[in-house]
Each structure stands twice: as structure tokens, then as C-alpha cells.
């Protein structure tokens, strides 16, 4: 049986302490700059609510910086992420992208979601044949193009180091052949590369820390 958690909502529709993740989400989804965190005991939750989110987050950061506590703090962060509560260093006003695939190479699809709420912002239907890295690359560029149209400087999160590198270099390095079976994804990749060469952007592209934060919000859950 899962251990009872207590969710403190400092900044939300109705601040307070909630005993389920669903209740916490109801108070924070769609709320600008929502501040919330999970605690193992009701006493800790009550104390945190009383001292405020700034002091609570600052205390957690100070503890993680203390000698010998790095591994423990990282483990705590991973547990919090698994419950849906992200650590304060995650920029919630952002887009998270990820790819879903069946085989590598194989069928590829991708989407971008609101990091705070998980709401799907854009998605591309399945592509007949491609690779995970090419899908991740397309997802990032799609996110950049979308934010460019919105005149938005939001951050983009991706859990692919390779795709982030390709975007920054404005080139891809893949062994996927160009043939009839891969025509669709190569057309999309060529278009994405052309966009990168023709456009500038100020958006930060940050590697999602899966070990510390749990699966990226856009994850397809197929692992």
C-alpha cells in the first residue's frame, strides 16, 4: 500500500493541505506560478504551510548542499517527481517535448506539452519510419517554431542530449538511409533544418534531468 502523502499548496486556487495528488492538481493546474510540494507527514506539511514556500524551498536547497546529503536529496527529488511534484529549479512556464516510437528505426510520433499542467500543446501523428533521435529533434524544432509564432521566450525541455546538440549545431548525424520508407521523416527533418537556418530564437533548450525529476511531462509511458 502506498504511503500517505500530504500536499502543501501555498500558491493555488485554494491554498492548504491536501491528501491526494488529484486534489493538489485541482488546485494548481492552470494557476499562474503555482507553488506546491509533497511531504511525508501531516506535521511537516503543517509546518511548511506556516513558514511559506520561499522558506520551505530555501531550506530544501540548503539541506541538499550540505556534505553527505547530495544522494539523499536527489533520491527525495526523484520521489517527489514520481508523485507529480516537481522541484523548484524546474521552470514550470515552459514546454516539454518527447517522442513515442515502436522500434528504432520504426514508427515515430512526438508531442509538446505544458510542463506545468501536462496539457498537450502540439503533436505530430505517427510517421511510418524514423529514429528516436530524429523524432526528438523534430519535437524541439516544432516547439521553437510554435513559440516563435507566439512571440514567446518560454524554455523548452527535452530529455535527448543528442537532439539538443543537433538543434544547436543545425545539423543531424544519423545513419538512417534516405529511401522510399523514410521519405516522410526526411522531408520533415529537411524542413526543420531549413527553419533553423532561416530563424533565430532566444528560447533556452534545457536537458530534462530524468533521474532527479522523473519522466518528462511529455513522456508516452511506453518504457
Amino acid at each position: 500500500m502506498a504511503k500517505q502523502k500530504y500536499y502543501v499548496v501555498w500558491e493555488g486556487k485554494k491554498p492548504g493541505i491536501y491528501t491526494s495528488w488529484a486534489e493538489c492538481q485541482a488546485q494548481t493546474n492552470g494557476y499562474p506560478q503555482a507553488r506546491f510540494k509533497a511531504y511525508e507527514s501531516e506535521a511537516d506539511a503543517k509546518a511548511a504551510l506556516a513558514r511559506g514556500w520561499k522558506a520551505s524551498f530555501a531550506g530544501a536547497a540548503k539541506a541538499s548542499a550540505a556534505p553527505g546529503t547530495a544522494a539523499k536529496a536527489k533520491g527525495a527529488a526523484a520521489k517527489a517527481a514520481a508523485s507529480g511534484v516537481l522541484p523548484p529549479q524546474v521552470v514550470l512556464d515552459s514546454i516539454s517535448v518527447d517522442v513515442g516510437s515502436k522500434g528504432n528505426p520504426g514508427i515515430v510520433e512526438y508531442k509538446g506539452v505544458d510542463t506545468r499542467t501536462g496539457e498537450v500543446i502540439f503533436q505530430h501523428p505517427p510517421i511510418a519510419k524514423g529514429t528516436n533521435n530524429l523524432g526528438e529533434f523534430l519535437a524541439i524544432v516544432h516547439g521553437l517554431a510554435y513559440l516563435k509564432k507566439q512571440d514567446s521566450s518560454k524554455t523548452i525541455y527535452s530529455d535527448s542530449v543528442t537532439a539538443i546538440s543537433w538543434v544547436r549545431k543545425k545539423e543531424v548525424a544519423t545513419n538512417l538511409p534516405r529511401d522510399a520508407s523514410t521519405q516522410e521523416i526526411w522531408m520533415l527533418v529537411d524542413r526543420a533544418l531549413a527553419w533553423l537556418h532561416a530563424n533565430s530564437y532566444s528560447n533556452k533548450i534545457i536537458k530534462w534531468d530524468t533521474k532527479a525529476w522523473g519522466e518528462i511531462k511529455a513522456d508516452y509511458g511506453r518504457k
Side-chain angles (χ1 to χ4, degrees):
M1 182 176 178
K3 188 175 180 179
Q4 175 67 56
K5 288 185 179 294
Y6 298 86
Y7 300 88
V8 178
V9 176
W10 291 280
E11 299 287 341
K13 298 170 186 175
K14 186 178 179 181
I17 297 173
Y18 297 88
T19 56
S20 74
W21 172 233
E23 291 176 308
C24 179
Q25 278 190 309
Q27 301 305 320
T28 57
N29 280 358
Y31 189 92
Q33 300 302 315
R35 302 290 181 180
F36 53 96
K37 189 176 180 181
Y39 289 89
E40 299 293 333
S41 73
E42 186 176 15
D44 287 344
K46 287 181 177 179
L49 180 63
R51 66 176 172 261
W53 71 265
K54 289 184 179 180
S56 297
F57 285 160
K62 185 176 181 180
S64 66
T69 62
K72 184 177 180 180
K74 194 165 187 177
K79 287 181 180 179
S83 70
V85 180
L86 295 173
Q89 63 265 40
V90 175
V91 180
L92 295 178
D93 190 24
S94 62
I95 289 178
S96 294
V97 301
D98 201 16
V99 67
S101 60
K102 295 180 181 179
N104 191 30
I107 298 173
V108 171
E109 59 185 312
Y110 67 80
K111 63 183 174 182
V113 308
D114 184 298
T115 305
R116 185 192 306 279
T117 67
E119 177 186 1
V120 176
I121 298 173
F122 60 79
Q123 57 185 339
H124 196 284
I127 301 163
K129 186 178 181 181
T131 67
N132 289 340
N133 285 332
L134 287 177
E136 299 276 12
F137 169 77
L138 290 174
I140 297 173
V141 179
H142 192 143
L144 289 172
Y146 170 84
L147 293 174
K148 181 89 171 182
K149 289 182 179 179
Q150 302 295 317
D151 194 25
S152 171
S153 60
K154 282 184 177 182
T155 292
I156 293 179
Y157 282 106
S158 168
D159 60 10
S160 172
V161 173
T162 298
I164 292 173
S165 173
W166 288 354
V167 170
R168 290 174 178 163
K169 293 177 181 178
K170 301 181 181 181
E171 61 181 27
V172 300
T174 176
N175 293 322
L176 188 72
R178 288 178 179 262
D179 57 31
S181 68
T182 61
Q183 182 178 3
E184 182 182 8
I185 198 163
W186 272 114
M187 177 188 70
L188 294 170
V189 169
D190 289 341
R191 188 170 67 184
L193 288 170
W195 187 93
L196 287 173
H197 284 284
N199 292 271
S200 61
Y201 57 88
S202 60
N203 311 81
K204 291 182 179 180
I205 304 172
I206 300 177
K207 169 67 172 66
W208 183 267
D209 190 343
T210 305
K211 288 185 178 180
W213 306 339
E215 294 296 341
I216 194 166
K217 277 292 189 76
D219 182 60
Y220 279 81
R222 296 175 180 170
K223 296 178 179 61

